[in-house]
Amino acid sequence: MPAQVEGDAGRIRQILHNLLGNAIKFTPSGRVRLRLIVQERSEQDVLMQWQVTDTGKGIPEKDLEHLFKPFFQVSAGQEGGGAGLGLSICSRLSESMGGTMRVVSEPGLGSSFSLFIRLPIGTSPPAMVPASKEGSQAPSAPLKLSVLVAEDNPVSQAVMCEQLEAIGAYPIVAADGHQALQLWQSKRFDMVITDINMPRMNGYALTRTLREAGVEVPIIGITANALREEGERCLQAGMTAWIVKPLSLGTLRQVLMKHCPGSTDTHAANDPGKEDFSGCIQLSQPMRQLLAQTLASDIEQLEKGVVEHDAVLVQQRLHSLSGALASINASALYSACQRLENMLQELPLDARLGGQVRALCGRLAQVAQRLSDEIPG
């Protein structure tokens, strides 16, 4: 392989995402393998083959010639179909890059899908090094953005929230467009990130409704479709930009920084707990003292649960915390507690999830300290 080639990384990633998703869906046991093979190479370009092979159910011969047609679905009684657009989109994406798609399959033995693209060989990879060093300080700064996320899929919700929190943003999740509109009425947000396809109210309708109401903040569309027509529809609906799933942490940060130029809030960074405490109802002195004390106890129990790998204790404490935070309208912290509680119903309390709980404890500690500082004497 050359050290660097020039091509459309987003579209290639989307094709592989679809092919791997299909392979996993229709392979109840066995394995799925991704290979990258150099078929031909010259001084100027290289013909590459990405091959996704599975040991799944396979596809009948009579269906192979129709696989890449829109809305076609295999007739072999396979479960978990869908709209039948995935492979059609893959084919169109490959053609837009001058590539081709091929498939070989045998019922009962599995399938092999290949993407062939000839790409120019990059000539100056060292030029990228100074650019990354030059901006090495900026990416580490927390963005301090309040982000409304409209997403119906629980896994996608968790991934998006985790990514946003990792870059210092404060996400609040809505399960569809209607819920997003309700949340918009209750809190100020710096940005909206919306999935395109959602039940009840999709991303297009949500965007149009917000724009008609005079909302001017950036609205970013998230789609699994890398076709240019999809992007044009997003912009026509009033979205500021659109990005394609799966998106990396770096891509997400770049989009937020590009469309929210003042995203690094140094004042908030020097005022611990300010963002999480904003929007809360006014509390009397006794209530502030009580809340500071209960938060300290909650933090202690959460940290104990993480250390002892006691998922039940952590869930119970998060549930209790959610009620208290909701009662004082601490919506950002309430949302974070709810998200972690829901994740613990499906996932083990491993090091990764434990790290998220500890990060929440850090935010709670800042709020508790702020409350304590406001108590006279």
Side-chain angles (χ1 to χ4, degrees), residues 31-81:
R31 69 174 183 269
V32 173
R33 177 173 291 172
L34 171 62
R35 296 183 180 92
L36 176 56
I37 304 163
V38 173
Q39 293 289 343
E40 298 174 9
R41 178 173 176 176
S42 68
E43 292 184 3
Q44 291 78 33
D45 57 34
V46 58
L47 175 60
M48 295 188 292
Q49 175 189 6
W50 283 267
Q51 182 186 49
V52 175
T53 305
D54 64 63
T55 58
K57 299 179 178 181
I59 302 167
E61 184 177 357
K62 64 184 178 67
D63 289 335
L64 290 178
E65 62 179 298
H66 305 291
L67 270 183
F68 297 108
K69 295 179 180 178
F71 305 107
F72 176 80
Q73 290 183 304
V74 174
S75 59
Q78 300 194 22
E79 307 94 3

Side-chain angles (χ1 to χ4, degrees), residues 158 161 165 170-173 276 291 294-295 298-299 302 311 313-328 330-345 353 356-365 367:
C161 285
E165 289 174 351
Y170 302 103
I172 295 181
V173 175
D276 283 328
L291 184 57
T294 57
L295 282 177
D298 289 330
I299 292 167
L302 285 172
L313 173 60
V314 174
Q315 273 188 283
Q316 290 174 343
R317 191 54 63 164
L318 286 170
H319 185 77
S320 175
L321 253 174
S322 296
L325 294 168
S327 67
I328 65 168
S331 54
L333 287 170
Y334 165 79
S335 177
C337 289
Q338 287 276 292
R339 182 178 67 84
L340 288 171
E341 183 184 353
N342 292 337
M343 289 176 69
L344 281 167
Q345 293 176 1
L353 195 48
Q356 294 185 52
V357 174
R358 284 197 170 98
L360 174 64
C361 288
R363 292 169 63 185
L364 293 170
V367 172

